[in-house]
Amino acid sequence: MLGGTAEARALAAALSERGVPVVSSLAGRVARPRLPVGEVRVGGFGGPDGLAAWLAEQRVGTVVDATHPFAERISASAVAATRTAGVPLLRLERPGWQASPGDDWHWTASLPEAAGLLPELGRRVFLTSGRQGLPAFAHLDDLWFLIRCVDPPEPPLPRRHELLLSRGPYQVEAEIGLLRTHRIEVLVTKDSGGSMTAAKLTAARELGLPVVLVRRPAPAGAPETVTSVDAVLARLPRVD
């Protein structure tokens, strides 16, 4: 299983309870990741060919891609590698967020496009799009950013910013307090989906703040995509 998400950890636990041997592969981009139940492998495979060779060597029966919705390269590698190795592939991807009455959402196709919208939406920005995309905002010298991510980011960063190292899940009241304390005027995030970080969207709605959301990349082409752990379990053979 290609993991790193809450869904991947839940699936690993469910498979372990069923007696299904599972190896969870983590990319290694987070310094202290939450580890799933069972065997864990950290680091890359050397591209699709390396992953295909590993699948054959380990005699893997099924690959589940349960990576983050924005992990484009890993998902594309999984599609190519499983085709080469002749191994079934199933994509587990949480549903995206849906707007509710009162939301002021502005959809964009990329982080640079999101950065281009900010000057007309607010001067104090809560940026929760992940540490790897921060250079897209580094040129916005007239804006102030509260940047929240799990691990310390590498430069370039926006000149005027405060860094908040934190990991979800988050609660609505705490998020409202954070936005008020820092006088935030606009929120920027990716459409990651799930409940662990959705509280910021509710908080923005409660405070009447605009939200800039980056759309998910196009699907990598997995033969089948499901949205729940139960759906994965229903498609995998049971080990008695």
Side-chain angles (χ1 to χ4, degrees), residues 62-87:
T62 302
V63 174
V64 177
D65 175 12
T67 55
H68 192 275
F70 284 83
E72 303 171 67
R73 186 177 300 176
I74 299 174
S75 292
S77 183
V79 171
T82 51
R83 285 175 180 167
T84 298
V87 176

Short mmCIF file of all heavy atoms in Angstrom, two decimals, residues 62-87:
data_model
loop_
_atom_site.label_atom_id
_atom_site.label_comp_id
_atom_site.label_asym_id
_atom_site.label_seq_id
_atom_site.Cartn_x
_atom_site.Cartn_y
_atom_site.Cartn_z
N THR A 62 -1.70 -7.27 -4.72
CA THR A 62 -2.52 -6.10 -5.04
C THR A 62 -1.82 -4.85 -4.52
O THR A 62 -1.22 -4.87 -3.44
CB THR A 62 -3.92 -6.20 -4.39
OG1 THR A 62 -4.57 -7.39 -4.83
CG2 THR A 62 -4.78 -5.00 -4.77
N VAL A 63 -1.91 -3.77 -5.27
CA VAL A 63 -1.41 -2.47 -4.82
C VAL A 63 -2.61 -1.56 -4.57
O VAL A 63 -3.50 -1.43 -5.42
CB VAL A 63 -0.47 -1.82 -5.86
CG1 VAL A 63 -0.09 -0.40 -5.42
CG2 VAL A 63 0.77 -2.66 -6.05
N VAL A 64 -2.62 -0.93 -3.40
CA VAL A 64 -3.61 0.10 -3.09
C VAL A 64 -2.87 1.43 -2.99
O VAL A 64 -1.97 1.58 -2.17
CB VAL A 64 -4.36 -0.19 -1.78
CG1 VAL A 64 -5.34 0.95 -1.47
CG2 VAL A 64 -5.10 -1.52 -1.85
N ASP A 65 -3.24 2.37 -3.85
CA ASP A 65 -2.68 3.71 -3.80
C ASP A 65 -3.59 4.55 -2.92
O ASP A 65 -4.65 5.00 -3.35
CB ASP A 65 -2.60 4.29 -5.21
CG ASP A 65 -2.14 5.75 -5.22
OD1 ASP A 65 -1.68 6.23 -4.16
OD2 ASP A 65 -2.26 6.41 -6.27
N ALA A 66 -3.16 4.76 -1.67
CA ALA A 66 -3.94 5.55 -0.72
C ALA A 66 -3.17 6.81 -0.34
O ALA A 66 -3.25 7.29 0.79
CB ALA A 66 -4.25 4.73 0.53
N THR A 67 -2.43 7.36 -1.29
CA THR A 67 -1.65 8.56 -1.04
C THR A 67 -2.54 9.80 -1.06
O THR A 67 -3.73 9.74 -1.38
CB THR A 67 -0.54 8.71 -2.09
OG1 THR A 67 -1.12 8.70 -3.40
CG2 THR A 67 0.47 7.59 -1.97
N HIS A 68 -1.94 10.94 -0.72
CA HIS A 68 -2.65 12.22 -0.68
C HIS A 68 -3.21 12.56 -2.06
O HIS A 68 -2.59 12.23 -3.09
CB HIS A 68 -1.68 13.31 -0.22
CG HIS A 68 -2.31 14.59 0.15
ND1 HIS A 68 -2.62 15.56 -0.79
CD2 HIS A 68 -2.72 15.09 1.34
CE1 HIS A 68 -3.17 16.59 -0.19
NE2 HIS A 68 -3.25 16.34 1.10
N PRO A 69 -4.36 13.22 -2.13
CA PRO A 69 -4.93 13.58 -3.44
C PRO A 69 -4.00 14.41 -4.32
O PRO A 69 -4.19 14.44 -5.54
CB PRO A 69 -6.18 14.39 -3.06
CG PRO A 69 -6.57 13.88 -1.72
CD PRO A 69 -5.28 13.56 -1.02
N PHE A 70 -3.01 15.08 -3.74
CA PHE A 70 -2.10 15.90 -4.53
C PHE A 70 -0.74 15.22 -4.76
O PHE A 70 0.18 15.86 -5.26
CB PHE A 70 -1.90 17.26 -3.88
CG PHE A 70 -3.08 18.19 -4.07
CD1 PHE A 70 -4.17 18.11 -3.22
CD2 PHE A 70 -3.10 19.11 -5.09
CE1 PHE A 70 -5.27 18.94 -3.39
CE2 PHE A 70 -4.19 19.96 -5.27
CZ PHE A 70 -5.27 19.87 -4.42
N ALA A 71 -0.63 13.94 -4.44
CA ALA A 71 0.62 13.20 -4.66
C ALA A 71 0.65 12.68 -6.10
O ALA A 71 0.61 11.47 -6.35
CB ALA A 71 0.75 12.06 -3.65
N GLU A 72 0.71 13.60 -7.05
CA GLU A 72 0.57 13.25 -8.47
C GLU A 72 1.65 12.28 -8.95
O GLU A 72 1.35 11.30 -9.64
CB GLU A 72 0.65 14.52 -9.32
CG GLU A 72 -0.35 15.59 -8.98
CD GLU A 72 -0.07 16.87 -9.73
OE1 GLU A 72 -0.21 16.87 -10.97
OE2 GLU A 72 0.30 17.87 -9.08
N ARG A 73 2.89 12.55 -8.59
CA ARG A 73 3.99 11.75 -9.12
C ARG A 73 3.91 10.31 -8.63
O ARG A 73 4.14 9.37 -9.41
CB ARG A 73 5.33 12.38 -8.72
CG ARG A 73 6.54 11.70 -9.34
CD ARG A 73 7.82 12.44 -8.96
NE ARG A 73 7.79 13.81 -9.42
CZ ARG A 73 8.74 14.70 -9.16
NH1 ARG A 73 9.79 14.33 -8.43
NH2 ARG A 73 8.67 15.93 -9.63
N ILE A 74 3.59 10.14 -7.36
CA ILE A 74 3.53 8.79 -6.81
C ILE A 74 2.38 8.01 -7.45
O ILE A 74 2.54 6.82 -7.80
CB ILE A 74 3.34 8.85 -5.28
CG1 ILE A 74 4.53 9.57 -4.63
CG2 ILE A 74 3.20 7.45 -4.69
CD1 ILE A 74 4.36 9.81 -3.15
N SER A 75 1.23 8.64 -7.62
CA SER A 75 0.09 7.95 -8.21
C SER A 75 0.37 7.56 -9.66
O SER A 75 0.02 6.46 -10.10
CB SER A 75 -1.16 8.83 -8.12
OG SER A 75 -1.58 8.97 -6.78
N ALA A 76 1.00 8.46 -10.42
CA ALA A 76 1.34 8.14 -11.80
C ALA A 76 2.34 7.00 -11.86
O ALA A 76 2.26 6.11 -12.73
CB ALA A 76 1.90 9.38 -12.50
N SER A 77 3.29 6.99 -10.93
CA SER A 77 4.27 5.91 -10.87
C SER A 77 3.60 4.57 -10.57
O SER A 77 3.96 3.53 -11.14
CB SER A 77 5.33 6.22 -9.81
OG SER A 77 6.32 5.21 -9.77
N ALA A 78 2.60 4.61 -9.69
CA ALA A 78 1.88 3.38 -9.34
C ALA A 78 1.14 2.81 -10.54
O ALA A 78 1.13 1.59 -10.76
CB ALA A 78 0.90 3.66 -8.20
N VAL A 79 0.52 3.67 -11.34
CA VAL A 79 -0.19 3.22 -12.53
C VAL A 79 0.78 2.54 -13.50
O VAL A 79 0.53 1.43 -14.00
CB VAL A 79 -0.92 4.40 -13.21
CG1 VAL A 79 -1.47 3.97 -14.57
CG2 VAL A 79 -2.04 4.92 -12.33
N ALA A 80 1.90 3.21 -13.78
CA ALA A 80 2.87 2.66 -14.72
C ALA A 80 3.49 1.37 -14.21
O ALA A 80 3.65 0.39 -14.96
CB ALA A 80 3.96 3.70 -15.01
N ALA A 81 3.86 1.34 -12.93
CA ALA A 81 4.54 0.18 -12.37
C ALA A 81 3.64 -1.05 -12.32
O ALA A 81 4.07 -2.17 -12.62
CB ALA A 81 5.06 0.50 -10.97
N THR A 82 2.39 -0.88 -11.93
CA THR A 82 1.49 -2.02 -11.84
C THR A 82 1.15 -2.57 -13.21
O THR A 82 0.96 -3.79 -13.37
CB THR A 82 0.20 -1.66 -11.08
OG1 THR A 82 -0.38 -0.47 -11.65
CG2 THR A 82 0.50 -1.42 -9.61
N ARG A 83 1.10 -1.71 -14.21
CA ARG A 83 0.90 -2.20 -15.58
C ARG A 83 2.08 -3.05 -16.03
O ARG A 83 1.91 -4.11 -16.63
CB ARG A 83 0.70 -1.02 -16.54
CG ARG A 83 -0.67 -0.36 -16.43
CD ARG A 83 -0.75 0.87 -17.31
NE ARG A 83 -2.07 1.51 -17.22
CZ ARG A 83 -2.34 2.72 -17.67
NH1 ARG A 83 -1.38 3.45 -18.26
NH2 ARG A 83 -3.56 3.22 -17.54
N THR A 84 3.28 -2.58 -15.73
CA THR A 84 4.48 -3.32 -16.10
C THR A 84 4.55 -4.66 -15.38
O THR A 84 4.89 -5.70 -15.98
CB THR A 84 5.74 -2.50 -15.77
OG1 THR A 84 5.72 -1.29 -16.53
CG2 THR A 84 7.00 -3.27 -16.11
N ALA A 85 4.22 -4.65 -14.09
CA ALA A 85 4.34 -5.87 -13.27
C ALA A 85 3.12 -6.78 -13.39
O ALA A 85 3.17 -7.92 -12.91
CB ALA A 85 4.55 -5.48 -11.81
N GLY A 86 2.04 -6.28 -13.99
CA GLY A 86 0.84 -7.10 -14.09
C GLY A 86 0.15 -7.31 -12.76
O GLY A 86 -0.43 -8.37 -12.51
N VAL A 87 0.20 -6.28 -11.90
CA VAL A 87 -0.40 -6.38 -10.56
C VAL A 87 -1.64 -5.49 -10.52
O VAL A 87 -1.60 -4.35 -10.97
CB VAL A 87 0.61 -5.93 -9.48
CG1 VAL A 87 -0.02 -5.94 -8.10
CG2 VAL A 87 1.84 -6.83 -9.51
#
